[in-house]
Amino acid sequence: MRKPVIAGNWKMYKTIEETVGFIQKLRPMADNAIHCEVVVAPPFTALRAAAEAARGSAVKVAAQNCHWDKEGAHTGDISTGMLRDAGCTHVIIGHSERRHDCGETDEQVNKKVKAALAAGLTPIVCVGEMLDEREKGETEKVLERQFMTGLAGLTAVDFSRIIIAYEPVWAIGTGRTATPEMAAEAHGFLRRLARQQFGESEAGGIRILYGGSVKPDNVGGLMAQEEIDGALVGGASLKVDSFTALVNYPRG
Ligand code: PGA
């Protein structure tokens, strides 16, 4: 009932030319992959070219960040309207690298989520604990804070339009994946929060992606978990072959 999403987060990789070449190769595979939605998140400079290369195909284009204001004196920032103008349909919000590199807070995540929804974009909202938080047994406390503050003030209809990505920080780019069971446990906790805050049908419909060292050889085990509705992938999304293998994850 929940259509899985396989999303590639390219971070600070790929020129415009590399982006267009990638999407041209990806298009036919994405069009055949009716079992899931396919999203790529190129850097800002390549978004427009990506959207043009993807036009008429099943490939959707996401930005990796946005500002919450419509416009204004924010040097170096990009508004949600500008992302729409460039052809984006999705935007990643609150990725742990932005939280850590740029000090992004849950309150800012909340403003960005609302701005993205108002602009008609689908926010992919990232949450996840750091290693020391997991070791101290604080995973659920951290997820609850990120969920409650990051999604504060959303209506049930708003909530039904977002995607959540659970990305344990210790698993990102480290080659250390959460086991499918660990990921499913965190996803189950997030879904319980969703049920409390937004109700049964919204909790049942929300897609929760797992992210953190997802690779072609571990995607099958993760996707076999009922609670896991897709993947947000960094490193393994940069090559067409491995991203295609992820899109065509083993299905039982
Ligand atoms: P990774 O990155 O797949 O390289 O661990 C995931 C992410 O940061 O979204």
Side-chain angles (χ1 to χ4, degrees):
M1 160 185 108
R2 297 189 293 264
K3 189 166 191 185
V5 180
I6 303 294
N9 172 12
W10 291 356
K11 310 192 178 184
M12 201 168 69
Y13 291 96
K14 294 197 190 295
T15 61
I16 294 171
E17 197 182 324
E18 288 164 348
T19 298
V20 170
F22 186 109
I23 292 176
Q24 281 166 350
K25 286 197 205 126
L26 178 64
R27 282 178 65 115
M29 338 270 192
D31 288 347
N32 283 332
I34 48 172
H35 60 281
C36 70
E37 290 175 15
V38 179
V39 181
V40 290
F44 283 131
T45 46
L47 287 176
R48 174 66 184 262
E52 275 167 16
R55 185 174 297 143
S57 78
V59 179
K60 304 261 172 41
V61 177
Q64 300 173 17
N65 180 36
C66 63
H67 196 277
W68 52 85
D69 278 347
K70 280 209 173 87
E71 54 186 10
H74 301 295
T75 302
D77 271 312
I78 309 277
S79 74
T80 52
M82 291 167 183
L83 297 180
R84 282 294 300 253
D85 187 38
C88 293
T89 52
H90 293 61
V91 56
I92 298 170
I93 295 176
H95 189 278
S96 69
E97 283 151 15
R98 294 213 52 88
R99 292 177 188 259
H100 302 130
D101 294 356
C102 311
E104 205 166 293
T105 64
D106 294 321
E107 287 76 14
Q108 290 173 335
V109 168
N110 185 239
K111 291 201 268 187
K112 292 179 183 200
V113 170
K114 287 175 178 164
L117 288 168
L121 292 164
T122 301
I124 302 174
V125 187
C126 303
V127 297
E129 80 288 357
M130 291 189 286
L131 183 58
D132 65 314
E133 293 166 334
R134 175 162 283 267
E135 285 172 346
K136 281 190 275 173
E138 292 176 354
T139 298
E140 294 192 350
K141 191 175 111 190
V142 171
L143 294 180
E144 182 161 359
R145 189 199 69 226
Q146 293 174 335
F147 183 102
M148 296 302 283
T149 311
L151 304 179
L154 264 60
T155 64
V157 173
D158 291 337
F159 185 73
S160 71
R161 291 176 46 208
I162 75 168
I163 294 171
I164 294 177
Y166 168 62
E167 299 204 303
V169 179
W170 47 271
I172 295 177
T174 58
R176 199 177 150 187
T177 336
T179 63
E181 293 73 23
M182 279 160 88
E185 199 183 326
H187 286 218
F189 176 71
L190 290 164
R191 211 176 293 285
R192 285 200 294 284
L193 290 175
R195 190 170 298 121
Q196 282 163 24
Q197 291 304 308
F198 299 102
E200 191 65 45
S201 85
E202 284 71 19
I206 182 85
R207 280 146 338 149
I208 307 178
L209 318 185
Y210 169 77
S213 298
V214 178
K215 306 269 182 287
D217 63 3
N218 61 24
V219 70
L222 290 159
M223 292 303 292
Q225 292 285 331
E226 163 87 38
E227 273 296 345
I228 300 181
D229 307 312
L232 179 57
V233 188
S237 74
L238 291 171
K239 295 225 162 70
V240 182
D241 290 352
S242 66
F243 189 60
T244 304
L246 292 168
V247 167
N248 292 320
Y249 60 85
R251 296 183 297 286

